[in-house]
Amino acid sequence: MQSCADEISMTLARRLREGIALAALSLIFIFSGCGGSAGAGKGNAAIPEDERQPSVRWLTEITEEVGIDFIHESDALERYRMPEIMGSGCAFLDYDNDGDLDIYLLNGNHDLSGRTKEPSPRNRLYRQESDGSFIDVTISSGLGDESFSYGVAVGDIDNDGDVDIYITNYGPDRLYQNDGNGSFTDITQQAGINVNGWSCSAAFFDYDRDGFLDLYITRYVIFDPSRECTDSTGRIDYCGPQVFEYYSDVLLHNNGDGTFTDVSERAGMASKTNPGLGVVCEDFNDDGWVDIAVANDGDINFLWINQTDGTFRDEAIVRGIAYNIHGTAEAGMGIIAADFDEDARPDLFMTHLTFQSNTFYHNRGDGTGFDDMTGASGLGATSRMFTGFGVVAFDIELDGDLDLLVANGKVQRGETRADSSIGPPWNDYAEPNLLYVNDGQAKFSPVRDDLSTYSSKVEMTRGLAMGDIDRDGDLDVLFSNNNGPARLYRNDAPRQGHWLMVEAFDPALKRVAIGARVSIHAGERALHRTIRRSFSYLSSHDPHAHFGLGAIEQIDRIEVLWPDGLRETFAGVPVDQYISLKRGEGGRQP
């Protein structure tokens, strides 16, 4: 008789060969039949096939409809050079302060191949118009950078009321200052920025609480193009990071005068060299000072705890996120920090390589760190056959808890996908994306959505950003695909309740207060969000704090813990609206 494990392996292998996009769903059904548990909840993963309700549409692609025509190019020539498989990111931002979200998409170039091609691939900026359509304003904006770009960080570096843009590259990074008239100026050199090599994700945050946004930049490997690698069958394939030397990450201090100083060595970061990909900034030990979590690829992760004196100490090992539950370093790509179980403490979720599973680190709540709760969360078995990159946590159906959307795409050859929407050689690396719903207790179940293309268009997705593009109160998503089209999806999930969108604004700084914690209270229930733009993988997001509310119809009060430690309470408000809370206008608390 076959063992349960053998049956799982054979069934999954068969279904992958058949090209079923959501093979992970098959796996979780099989586990249920073998006596395993994928987590109870409001998802349908454990419901027998003949008892499930017909599929509903959760996300609707509107890319062509609204005028987005971006195609990512890495200029690959089947030489399998590592930089061509890893990018790139995307961003939602309101660069012109008109109240709606615009889109910035990053591209490769011809540096790896040496070919001359006109026009050269370039990054592109799309402005949203009043009718919801987008127009390409790349040329007039000055943001048509032709670098081999990877990540984008958005933030107001000079506190003048408009957002500036930092671009990470395979090659020198770039900083663009918003001129306030729809255009940007490259101020990299005059700002004193000299970050070279291979940079990936970047995040603006205020680590010293001086009111100016500093910048953390992850850097990857010192790539040697003469190095060739093969897969298990001897075919040429992309190398893993371990065959190269590593860079150290970079911390840039904002001097408040338009310039930055590299303080990586003084801060204690220059001596650590791991292949960094994803980054998220959050106060993980609840001391009022923002810390930094970094997902490293195939090596131990970082958790830089702010020592409040301009230095940081890596406490990833003692706080439980350096390795998974088995004591193994995983191939970290995307990362997010969010409160998935309403205990007022940020948990961590990281995406990983095939056969590793994505990992859910639950915050213990006592200030000591995290526990790997991947198995109990239901996020383990369903992710083992995929390679995850971008990730967002958002309440897709407005029922009051945070769900997960993961962007997938291999970096090592797999079986050729017959259902891939991209051609060779990329269909050897294409994978479907995955959506999970939360039952409110950090137990997740994958969603069946046969009507949507977010999973049925099987591509190599990398960047993933979220924001409310149509201001209807739910969050929409933007995917960036490697060597494929960007895709914009409108949230059409079946609504389960009300919503509230909160801006935390500091009038003295003329900008959104990155790092502020917003808590809404309704009866005995409290929901918590942190204002941030940077997380996921190589991407930047709408900085509003979004709350799905379920049956809540009135907010009793709202508390904001500002980045400098001031805590204020604001009066309650009706639901289903956008509101702006301004520092200094609330009631102060100790």
Side-chain angles (χ1 to χ4, degrees):
M1 180 180 292
Q2 287 181 321
S3 70
C4 183
D6 290 338
E7 182 181 348
I8 291 168
S9 178
M10 293 176 63
T11 302
L12 183 55
R14 183 179 70 249
R15 294 194 177 190
L16 282 172
R17 287 195 299 271
E18 292 170 355
I20 295 177
L22 290 181
L25 296 185
S26 302
L27 180 61
I28 198 166
F29 298 142
I30 298 166
F31 265 108
S32 299
C34 291
S37 174
K42 61 195 176 191
N44 55 28
I47 302 174
E49 185 78 29
D50 57 354
E51 295 180 15
R52 276 182 268 151
Q53 296 298 313
S55 181
V56 296
R57 188 183 301 276
W58 290 71
L59 296 168
T60 301
E61 185 178 1
I62 58 172
T63 313
E64 295 183 8
E65 174 186 328
V66 300
I68 303 295
D69 59 356
F70 178 87
I71 304 292
H72 177 267
E73 299 180 59
S74 70
D75 202 38
L77 293 177
E78 297 192 45
R79 296 175 182 172
Y80 296 88
R81 291 175 171 171
M82 195 177 184
E84 69 191 32
I85 195 72
M86 299 298 290
S88 59
C90 54
F92 281 126
L93 71 163
D94 183 6
Y95 82 95
D96 53 359
N97 286 335
D98 65 350
D100 55 36
L101 292 177
D102 311 301
I103 289 174
Y104 192 51
L105 294 159
L106 277 63
N107 217 334
N109 64 15
H110 304 298
D111 286 353
L112 292 175
S113 69
R115 293 191 300 180
T116 300
K117 179 181 176 183
E118 297 294 339
S120 175
R122 63 177 63 197
N123 303 337
R124 291 171 69 181
L125 177 68
Y126 292 85
R127 185 182 70 210
Q128 186 174 173
E129 303 295 279
S130 58
D131 62 357
S133 65
F134 289 81
I135 62 171
D136 188 335
V137 293
T138 304
I139 300 301
S140 62
S141 72
L143 287 177
D145 196 299
E146 296 182 4
S147 303
F148 203 110
S149 295
Y150 278 87
V152 53
V154 175
D156 185 355
I157 64 168
D158 45 10
N159 295 344
D160 66 349
D162 48 41
V163 293
D164 311 295
I165 296 176
Y166 188 90
I167 301 171
T168 66
N169 294 316
Y170 176 67
D173 292 354
R174 294 283 184 264
L175 176 64
Y176 286 88
Q177 185 177 50
N178 194 325
D179 297 330
N181 59 3
S183 65
F184 291 77
T185 299
D186 183 345
I187 62 166
T188 310
Q189 185 172 2
Q190 67 195 67
I193 292 174
N194 184 29
V195 180
N196 293 291
W198 185 350
S199 302
C200 289
S201 295
F204 281 113
F205 71 125
D206 185 4
Y207 76 86
D208 55 357
R209 308 202 318 188
D210 67 351
F212 291 95
L213 293 177
D214 311 300
L215 186 64
Y216 188 93
I217 304 153
T218 69
R219 293 200 297 171
Y220 198 40
V221 301
I222 304 173
F223 176 67
D224 178 0
S226 68
R227 185 69 182 264
E228 289 190 350
C229 298
T230 57
D231 66 10
S232 59
T233 67
R235 298 177 299 178
I236 187 172
D237 202 355
Y238 293 102
C239 296
Q242 285 71 32
V243 305
F244 305 107
E245 297 294 320
Y246 304 152
Y247 286 106
S248 60
D249 294 344
V250 175
L251 179 63
L252 298 179
H253 177 259
N254 189 333
N255 301 319
D257 60 0
T259 67
F260 288 79
T261 300
D262 187 336
V263 295
S264 311
E265 185 170 354
R266 178 182 180 276
M269 298 165 175
S271 62
K272 295 254 187 175
T273 56
N274 281 9
L277 287 179
V279 62
V280 65
C281 301
E282 175 64 80
D283 179 9
F284 290 109
N285 60 349
D286 207 26
D287 66 349
W289 295 76
V290 67
D291 312 302
I292 309 161
V294 180
N296 289 317
D297 187 4
D299 214 321
I300 63 173
N301 301 312
F302 294 148
L303 183 57
W304 295 108
I305 298 298
N306 195 328
Q307 304 300 296
T308 76
D309 59 358
T311 67
F312 290 79
R313 183 169 60 215
D314 180 19
E315 299 183 6
I317 293 178
V318 298
R319 292 183 181 271
I321 74 159
Y323 307 98
N324 65 11
I325 195 172
H326 305 294
T328 303
E330 297 179 288
M333 279 79 149
I335 186 171
I336 193 165
D339 179 13
F340 289 102
D341 55 358
E342 294 186 27
D343 64 355
R345 297 289 185 268
D347 309 302
L348 278 168
F349 178 78
M350 301 185 196
T351 59
H352 294 122
L353 196 66
T354 307
F355 301 123
Q356 292 184 352
S357 87
N358 299 328
T359 303
F360 176 70
Y361 295 98
H362 179 258
N363 194 317
R364 297 173 192 144
D366 58 3
T368 62
F370 301 81
D371 292 313
D372 181 346
M373 301 293 289
T374 306
S377 72
L379 294 166
T382 53
S383 62
R384 280 185 56 81
M385 298 307 298
F386 301 93
T387 295
F389 279 88
V391 56
V392 294
F394 67 128
D395 188 349
I396 188 170
E397 77 281 55
L398 308 181
D399 66 344
D401 51 46
L402 292 174
D403 310 300
L404 280 169
L405 180 62
V406 179
N408 293 318
K410 293 183 185 295
V411 291
Q412 298 171 338
R413 276 187 173 179
E415 293 192 29
T416 300
R417 297 287 306 225
D419 58 347
S420 174
S421 56
I422 52 177
W426 307 119
N427 51 357
D428 288 350
Y429 301 87
E431 291 182 320
N433 302 313
L434 294 175
L435 173 63
Y436 298 87
V437 290
N438 184 351
D439 72 348
Q441 302 298 317
K443 302 291 192 301
F444 295 86
S445 300
V447 169
R448 174 187 176 187
D449 187 0
D450 304 327
L451 302 176
S452 179
T453 58
Y454 78 87
S455 60
S456 63
K457 286 191 175 176
V458 183
E459 297 166 315
M460 288 192 303
T461 310
R462 295 293 183 251
L464 172 55
M466 67 181 187
D468 185 4
I469 60 166
D470 47 11
R471 294 182 68 87
D472 66 348
D474 56 27
L475 293 177
D476 312 292
V477 293
L478 174 67
F479 289 104
S480 60
N481 288 307
N482 183 285
N483 283 285
R487 297 195 185 278
L488 179 63
Y489 290 87
R490 184 182 65 228
N491 186 339
D492 286 337
R495 292 196 173 197
Q496 302 298 313
H498 300 283
W499 57 274
L500 187 70
M501 192 76 86
V502 181
E503 177 189 61
F505 189 82
D506 190 332
L509 303 180
K510 302 179 183 178
R511 61 170 174 81
V512 170
I514 300 297
R517 284 184 172 181
V518 179
S519 302
I520 64 171
H521 297 261
E524 297 181 354
R525 194 171 183 188
L527 300 175
H528 312 274
R529 304 285 186 268
T530 298
I531 302 294
R532 64 168 70 92
R533 294 182 185 270
S534 297
F535 51 88
S536 186
Y537 176 74
L538 309 179
S539 299
S540 189
H541 313 262
D542 180 354
H544 284 87
H546 175 260
F547 297 88
L549 300 175
I552 295 173
E553 296 184 345
Q554 173 69 34
I555 306 302
D556 299 331
R557 70 182 190 281
I558 305 175
E559 295 179 359
V560 180
L561 178 60
W562 299 96
D564 64 355
L566 172 66
R567 186 185 300 273
E568 290 185 302
T569 298
F570 295 82
V573 296
V575 299
D576 298 336
Q577 64 169 325
Y578 273 74
I579 64 170
S580 180
L581 304 179
K582 296 180 174 58
R583 188 182 188 277
E585 295 185 359
R588 298 195 174 198
Q589 295 185 23

